[in-house]
């Protein structure tokens, strides 16, 4: 099974400042089809998760462009260029490279406002 | 509008059974990989099971042999039959639709307490 490790687990950020979350996988997420199935999800308090970014860097329609994803192989990053109050919540990275035989999530990173 | 609505959660004794349902609207469950993902209170996300093309299925090791995923194409619904429930199965269970190696659609979840 692929283990996903996020850092930091908690990130206090000032409004308007950038934030960055790292995600590392225990093995390469490059699929045999050439795609890398690493995505980022946001979970606001009391809400179900919501997809933000898929295949490393593709923003879902409607997701603000202050969110961006990057990385390759086993190391990935989610960046928020200027944190807004509505960005408070927990962020998860997720691998779907092993679909449909397994999926795994990072532990989650709690983003909070200082 | 595309929507997933879970139901069937509740309080059950250890060793008991429960059947969760997920009703889809706005898209066809038989054309998508459909998963169940759970979240224990205050914890992160854990993938549980997936049903995919040809009604093939896959399960997390933690539920293999106890849980069964199925779908009814005529009702456009997905189910999770949970047997031999344990206290560690206590969680909010989300129905999720997969595409491009990620879960792009999530229901609101249903709480199971063992």
């Amino acid at each position: 099974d692929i283990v996903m490790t996020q850092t930091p687990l908690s990130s206090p950020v000032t409004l308007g400042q950038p934030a960055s979350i790292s995600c590392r996988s225990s093995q390469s997420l490059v699929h045999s089809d050439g795609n890398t199935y690493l995505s980022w999800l946001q979970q606001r308090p009391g809400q179900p998760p919501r997809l933000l970014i898929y295949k490393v860097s593709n923003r879902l329609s409607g997701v603000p462009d202050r969110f961006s994803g990057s990385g390759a192989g086993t190391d990935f990053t989610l960046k928020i260029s200027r944190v807004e109050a509505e960005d408070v919540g927990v962020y998860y990275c997720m691998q779907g490279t092993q679909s449909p035989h397994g999926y795994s999530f990072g532990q989650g990173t709690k983003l909070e406002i200082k | 509008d595309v929507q997933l609505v879970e139901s069937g959660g509740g309080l059950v004794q250890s060793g008991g059974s429960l059947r969760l349902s997920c009703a889809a609207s706005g898209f066809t469950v038989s054309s998508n990989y459909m998963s169940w993902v759970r979240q224990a209170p205050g914890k992160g996300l854990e993938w549980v099971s997936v049903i995919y093309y040809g009604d093939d299925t896959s399960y997390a090791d933690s539920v293999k042999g106890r849980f069964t995923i199925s779908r009814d194409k005529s009702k456009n619904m997905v189910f999770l039959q949970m047997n031999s429930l344990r206290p560690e199965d206590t969680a909010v269970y989300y129905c999720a639709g997969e595409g491009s190696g990620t879960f792009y659609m999530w229901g609101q979840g249903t709480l199971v307490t063992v």
Side-chain angles (χ1 to χ4, degrees), chain B residues 66-80:
Chain B
R66 300 188 299 124
F67 290 11
T68 302
I69 191 171
S70 61
R71 60 185 161 195
D72 186 325
K73 297 171 187 177
S74 65
K75 295 180 179 177
N76 207 26
M77 294 181 71
V78 181
F79 306 97
L80 186 67

Side-chain angles (χ1 to χ4, degrees), chain A residues 23-83:
Chain A
C23 176
R24 178 167 290 178
S25 56
S26 60
Q27 62 191 76
S28 174
L29 297 185
V30 180
H31 193 276
S32 56
D33 66 5
N35 289 304
T36 299
Y37 295 106
L38 183 283
S39 51
W40 291 94
L41 302 105
Q42 174 196 61
Q43 188 174 31
R44 291 171 171 151
Q47 295 294 313
R50 164 199 176 202
L51 178 65
L52 296 177
I53 288 172
Y54 62 98
K55 287 196 285 186
V56 181
S57 59
N58 295 273
R59 261 192 316 275
L60 196 68
S61 176
V63 172
D65 61 6
R66 63 178 181 275
F67 290 93
S68 64
S70 62
T74 61
D75 288 286
F76 306 92
T77 303
L78 174 70
K79 290 184 179 177
I80 309 173
S81 58
R82 295 172 306 280
V83 171

Side-chain angles (χ1 to χ4, degrees), chain A residues 1 37 39 41 43 46-51 53-55 60 92 94-97 99-103 105-107, chain B residues 33 35 37 39 43-47 50 52 57-59 61 94 98-109:
Chain A
D1 288 359
Y37 295 106
S39 51
L41 302 105
Q43 188 174 31
Q47 295 294 313
R50 164 199 176 202
L51 178 65
I53 288 172
Y54 62 98
K55 287 196 285 186
L60 196 68
Y92 296 92
M94 174 206 148
Q95 70 81 16
T97 295
S99 168
H101 304 294
Y103 309 77
F105 297 89
Q107 317 97 299
Chain B
Y33 288 18
S35 275
V37 177
Q39 186 170 35
K43 303 297 184 182
L45 301 169
E46 179 190 17
W47 170 75
V50 63
Y52 49 106
T57 59
S58 184
Y59 299 90
D61 287 344
Y94 295 103
E98 181 185 340
S100 296
T102 189
F103 301 129
Y104 68 97
M105 191 182 321
W106 295 74
Q108 289 295 313

